[in-house]
């Protein structure tokens, strides 16, 4: 789109959730419950992964994992 868009993501109720954007390699929201709104800039894309809040982050080569589950296969500790 040529203009910024706001998207609402429905989340599991009674579970705190963090939102991670695999395109930017950054968490964009933390400790959400039931729903979260994210803004997507003009002419950009986002791939959002919902992960448990407070999950244990670990790294194996270029993979970033939360609680042992791969969240980002192309993670760089220096940013994307």
């Amino acid at each position: 789109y040529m203009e910024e868009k706001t998207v609402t993501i429905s989340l599991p109720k009674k579970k705190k959730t963090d939102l991670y954007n695999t395109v930017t390699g950054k968490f964009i929201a933390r400790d959400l419950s039931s729903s979260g709104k994210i803004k997507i800039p003009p002419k950009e894309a986002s791939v959002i992964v919902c992960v448990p809040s407070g999950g244990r982050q670990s790294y194996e080569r270029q993979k970033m994992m939360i609680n042992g589950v791969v969240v980002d296969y192309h993670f760089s500790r220096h940013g994307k």
Side-chain angles (χ1 to χ4, degrees), residues 1-79:
Y1 293 98
M2 299 302 283
E3 67 277 342
E4 178 179 89
K5 293 289 182 176
T6 299
V7 177
T8 301
I9 298 174
S10 296
L11 303 169
K13 293 185 187 317
K14 299 182 182 177
K15 292 185 179 181
K16 294 285 186 175
T17 303
D18 296 342
L19 301 180
Y20 178 81
N21 186 344
T22 62
V23 174
T24 62
K26 297 178 182 177
F27 284 92
I28 58 171
R30 294 195 182 262
D31 295 322
L32 300 175
S33 58
S34 74
S35 69
K37 290 187 179 191
I38 62 167
K39 293 182 180 183
I40 303 173
K43 299 182 182 181
E44 290 191 20
S46 294
V47 178
I48 307 301
V49 180
C50 300
V51 300
S53 288
R56 187 178 67 81
Q57 288 185 20
S58 59
Y59 306 91
E60 184 179 302
R61 296 190 180 129
Q62 289 186 315
K63 294 183 232 172
M64 190 270 284
M65 297 170 276
I66 302 287
N67 297 338
V69 177
V70 177
V71 173
D72 190 342
Y73 281 94
H74 301 286
F75 180 80
S76 170
R77 291 182 194 222
H78 304 291

